[in-house]
Amino acid sequence: MGFLTKLINYLSLGLAGKIEEKALSSILFISLLSLAGTIFLFLFGIYAFATARIIPGILLMIASFLVAGSLAYVRRTRNWKQASIFNLALIIIVLFAIFTSEKSEGSVIIWFAAIPVLSVFILGNRGGAVVSL
């Protein structure tokens, strides 16, 4: 069993063949986003602390642990819809908090541009359009 097979089995919560493919692909997608979000938020938090930006660093570290917690929540309850809404709301709140606390942080505006795309992927066309507005 290769590394990618183990990773896919871990992210799909061992449900391959046990549930319908659409639900499995959604769980796999949300788990992959949660894992990537945890890693990126943690790394950006470390970078913020290294550049002496304490408030964004704290926000990013807390968000990293909350996204990791949502991954554990999905593994335990298999309720990926609630976890995906939580993760999306958390990312929007963290970006807004960083944008308001760091006036010179122009890269946050670029990340805000990704919110509509993420919301459509996570919540579907109708829910993603509502969140994008």
Side-chain angles (χ1 to χ4, degrees):
M1 196 182 242
F3 173 74
L4 288 178
T5 308
K6 287 181 182 180
L7 181 65
I8 290 173
N9 190 34
Y10 175 79
L11 292 176
S12 66
L13 312 175
L15 296 174
K18 297 178 184 175
I19 61 172
E20 66 182 56
E21 289 296 318
K22 185 177 180 181
L24 182 65
S25 66
S26 296
I27 288 174
L28 183 61
F29 181 69
I30 296 304
S31 297
L32 183 62
L33 282 178
S34 296
L35 181 64
T38 299
I39 292 168
F40 282 124
L41 288 169
F42 187 76
L43 291 175
F44 283 129
I46 290 173
Y47 177 74
F49 282 129
T51 57
R53 296 180 342 202
I54 303 301
I55 293 174
I58 291 171
L59 289 172
L60 290 167
M61 287 298 199
I62 290 172
S64 171
F65 291 120
L66 288 174
V67 171
S70 75
L71 183 60
Y73 173 78
V74 171
R75 286 193 59 76
R76 192 181 54 207
T77 66
R78 294 176 178 35
N79 193 348
W80 57 272
K81 287 183 181 180
Q82 281 185 343
S84 63
I85 292 169
F86 172 77
N87 286 347
L88 186 62
L90 180 66
I91 295 300
I92 292 170
I93 290 168
V94 166
L95 286 174
F96 185 73
I98 291 172
F99 182 70
T100 57
S101 69
E102 296 277 321
K103 298 292 187 205
S104 64
E105 188 63 39
S107 65
V108 175
I109 295 173
I110 296 171
W111 286 106
F112 268 118
I115 295 298
V117 175
L118 279 176
S119 63
V120 168
F121 275 123
I122 292 172
L123 302 175
N125 289 339
R126 185 178 301 171
V130 169
V131 169
S132 296
L133 288 175

